Amino acid sequence: MRIHAITTGRVHVKQAQIVGRGHGLMRQLGPILASQWADWAPVYTFAIEHPDGVIVVDTGANAGLKSLPRWHPYFQLSVEFDIEPEQEIGPQLARLGIAARDVKTVVLTHLHIDHDGGLAHFPHSRIVASGGEIARASGFRGALLGYLPNRWPRWFDPEPLAWQPSPFGPFRQSARLTDSGDIVAVPTPGHTPDHLSVVVRDGDRQVMLAGDASYLEATMLRGAVDGISPNEATASATLANIRRLCAANPTIYLPSHDPQSAERLERRRAVAASDFLSSADEGLASLPAMSAAAAR
Ligand SMILES: [Zn+2]
């Protein structure tokens, strides 16, 4: 199995979006009101070459995002994209020798504009996302919440993911994305209420394609909730579940905007026990390793 990290341009957001400031409404207004910008960050998507067919996790940004609706305060004040058409996922997959027709399944961690931006390249693929996310992103309400449903391809009709009551490590539900179950989706609510992540079993480690469950590995380890999540407690609980997963089995943790994600994938660098020392869960790293069976 080969996993490719593909950078579809860069995104620029406020520091208060990456790590929320304060609580409640103030935390959620931070990305709009704050003045301090973070460094430009990559917009990763991932392509998994699996014997069942290629699976793409998130489709990244598109060049059209350099122009955003001016009526929306978040788009007006809080985000900028830098991407050219040849940096979109379609042309980049082609350069890797993967035709869009070879992509059997596209999984969307959520439908924010830098995750669904490359959908137009996949008219022939099965596209799945969580049902709650599809509903939330649709229509006028979706537009108010900062989605761009009016830019979806006309044929876009994603399949709601069928969650199974089979636990995967600390996650109570999961959904198999391959027949063998070596690639599964797990619910990681927080950044959006129905956000999901994808876990790939790859030899002696697992790779977690985290979407925006956190913007950085460091913020996951610290349990720092972003400035976007509508419910701080839900987001916090998800970050704790991810730390449990990483503590139980060697896990390469790859958020969509962590500048280190591609390098960690390349070096197969899992979250290490020492990384937990400064984290929110003292002693978590010394938990006995969960057996592979328990983690399924
Ligand atoms: Zn997002």
Side-chain angles (χ1 to χ4, degrees):
M1 200 163 8
R2 178 120 194 253
I3 305 176
H4 304 274
I6 299 165
T7 315
T8 58
R10 305 186 298 166
V11 64
H12 200 200
V13 297
K14 307 280 183 67
Q15 191 61 42
Q17 178 165 338
I18 294 169
V19 176
R21 304 242 170 94
H23 302 280
L25 188 61
M26 282 315 292
R27 179 178 54 80
Q28 290 187 267
L29 287 174
I32 292 173
L33 301 178
S35 56
Q36 192 194 352
W37 290 80
D39 291 338
W40 283 88
V43 180
Y44 284 115
T45 72
F46 296 91
I48 309 162
E49 295 190 64
H50 187 275
D52 286 5
V54 176
I55 296 180
V56 162
V57 179
D58 285 336
T59 63
N62 67 52
L65 297 182
K66 289 196 287 189
S67 165
L68 291 167
R70 297 183 65 81
W71 63 268
H72 197 291
Y74 177 79
F75 291 146
Q76 177 77 357
L77 300 169
S78 313
V79 67
E80 295 179 285
F81 288 94
D82 171 25
I83 172 171
E84 299 302 326
E86 65 270 19
Q87 294 176 293
E88 294 181 10
I89 186 169
Q92 294 218 62
L93 283 176
R95 286 195 285 275
L96 291 170
I98 300 171
R101 279 185 180 274
D102 299 335
V103 176
K104 188 177 172 195
T105 306
V106 173
V107 188
L108 298 167
T109 60
H110 63 307
L111 292 169
H112 279 164
I113 60 176
D114 49 339
H115 297 258
D116 71 0
L119 281 172
H121 296 288
F122 302 102
H124 307 293
S125 307
R126 170 187 178 227
I127 299 179
V128 296
S130 68
E133 182 72 16
I134 297 165
R136 185 170 301 98
S138 301
F140 181 61
R141 178 162 171 259
L144 283 180
L145 288 170
Y147 296 92
L148 286 176
N150 58 324
R151 293 192 188 181
W152 288 339
R154 218 170 289 167
W155 47 259
F156 181 57
D157 185 17
E159 181 183 319
L161 196 64
W163 292 111
Q164 302 298 315
S166 44
F168 184 91
F171 300 98
R172 279 189 301 179
Q173 294 178 307
S174 62
R176 283 181 175 221
L177 297 170
T178 52
D179 291 339
S180 65
D182 54 355
I183 305 180
V184 300
V186 294
T188 47
H191 180 75
T192 66
D194 294 280
H195 188 280
L196 62 83
S197 299
V198 173
V199 182
V200 183
R201 288 190 177 280
D202 186 25
D204 61 343
R205 20 209 88 172
Q206 56 192 6
V207 180
M208 184 169 194
L209 308 175
D212 291 353
S214 70
Y215 287 109
L216 303 168
E217 181 188 81
T219 52
M220 177 274 289
L221 286 166
R222 275 165 48 205
V225 172
D226 67 22
I228 296 287
S229 302
N231 185 308
E232 195 171 348
T234 301
S236 226
T238 285
L239 297 179
N241 273 343
I242 295 171
R243 290 193 297 276
R244 287 185 193 104
L245 186 82
C246 295
N249 285 292
T251 305
I252 305 166
Y253 181 70
L254 306 178
S256 300
H257 304 292
D258 187 328
Q260 307 300 319
S261 282
E263 192 190 336
R264 283 203 297 274
L265 176 63
E266 177 80 28
R267 294 173 182 268
R268 292 178 58 77
R269 186 194 173 281
V271 177
S274 56
D275 295 329
F276 288 96
L277 293 179
S278 59
S279 84
D281 315 277
E282 285 183 26
L284 185 62
S286 62
L287 286 176
M290 199 184 298
S291 73
R296 263 177 224 283

